[in-house]
Amino acid sequence: MKKIPEPTRKRLIRLAQLLLQLIQNGDIIITSLQIQELTGWSNTTIRKDISYINVKCGASNGYKIEELHKAISRKFDLHINAAKKKCCIVGLGKIGEALLEYTGFKNSRFELVAGFDPNANRTEILNAPFPLYTTMRLEQIIKELDIEYAILSTSDKDAPAIAEKLAQWNIKGIVNYTNAVISVPSTITVKDVGIISALQTLW
């Protein structure tokens, strides 16, 4: 079995999200050229990526959207009806507060089950569809709820220390919305999406 390169894996997961949107729009067939127009990836790259999952959903003029989506979902265990992976938000400032209202989790394998902030007042006044706690209860709640992933949106100053604690409490992955560089064991996956850091990679 061919090992799927990390850039290919990321593109295929993004492609699955795109295909889901097309399914919801009622589309049935899509060509690699149409995917190129929608994503900016080259036609050659798209076809090579799809070859890694050995799909049998080709049509004479493209791919069957629903079957391609199912093939990618099976490959990467993306089925939304499978057991949810529990996540939490750490830091309920402007970014964290905005994420409380994010509805994209409904069509994913992930479920937000808790939010944390050092300011007790914020945990009391903010509205969320799940409980909010002070960061003093991070370890307790992570263990009680069996939380696997964390979205880090604290201040840049606090982020490194909190990331170290999350690693100690067996968090498997961190989405880092701060601009801080965090250091955790190699067994933990970190995705940096800090706005300034992301912008700086564009030039």
Side-chain angles (χ1 to χ4, degrees):
M1 182 182 295
K2 292 187 295 185
K3 182 178 180 181
I4 299 179
E6 182 64 12
T8 293
R9 188 185 73 86
K10 290 179 179 179
R11 285 192 295 267
L12 286 172
I13 291 174
R14 290 282 303 277
L15 178 57
Q17 296 170 337
L18 170 62
L19 294 172
L20 181 59
Q21 295 173 8
L22 296 174
I23 291 169
Q24 293 168 344
N25 290 339
D27 296 325
I28 299 174
I29 300 291
I30 192 168
T31 66
S32 56
L33 285 174
Q34 289 173 318
I35 297 174
Q36 175 180 290
E37 292 173 1
L38 292 169
T39 63
W41 309 327
S42 75
N43 178 43
T44 302
T45 295
I46 292 162
R47 284 183 288 152
K48 184 176 180 180
D49 287 349
I50 293 175
S51 72
Y52 277 95
I53 57 175
N54 297 317
V55 296
K56 297 180 180 179
C57 58
S60 59
N61 60 341
Y63 298 98
K64 296 176 183 177
I65 293 174
E66 188 166 355
E67 292 184 24
L68 180 56
H69 178 264
K70 288 180 179 177
I72 298 173
S73 296
R74 281 195 301 269
K75 186 68 176 180
F76 299 108
D77 196 22
L78 303 177
H79 299 285
I80 63 174
N81 293 326
K84 295 282 189 178
K85 296 182 181 294
K86 295 180 180 179
C87 310
C88 66
I89 299 174
V90 186
L92 300 176
K94 294 298 183 181
I95 292 177
E97 182 179 354
L99 290 171
L100 295 180
E101 302 177 2
Y102 180 61
T103 59
F105 289 95
K106 293 180 181 178
N107 293 319
S108 78
R109 283 287 313 278
F110 301 95
E111 178 185 14
L112 275 176
V113 296
F116 300 89
D117 195 87
N119 187 333
N121 289 335
R122 292 197 65 74
T123 65
E124 294 172 358
I125 65 175
L126 292 177
N127 293 318
F130 45 80
L132 304 179
Y133 308 92
T134 64
T135 49
M136 292 179 62
R137 298 187 64 188
L138 253 176
E139 181 179 10
Q140 172 197 348
I141 300 302
I142 284 174
K143 292 180 177 179
E144 283 184 2
L145 299 183
D146 196 23
I147 295 172
E148 298 180 76
Y149 298 93
I151 299 170
L152 189 59
S153 53
T154 62
S155 68
D156 293 352
K157 175 176 64 71
D158 293 335
I162 291 178
E164 288 183 13
K165 293 294 186 183
L166 292 172
Q168 293 173 16
W169 300 327
N170 297 322
I171 288 293
K172 295 179 180 178
I174 298 172
V175 176
N176 179 23
Y177 267 93
T178 78
N179 290 304
V181 176
I182 61 177
S183 178
V184 294
S186 59
T187 54
I188 300 172
T189 302
V190 175
K191 299 298 181 185
D192 294 305
V193 290
I195 304 301
I196 301 303
S197 297
L199 286 169
Q200 288 174 335
T201 66
L202 296 180
W203 70 62

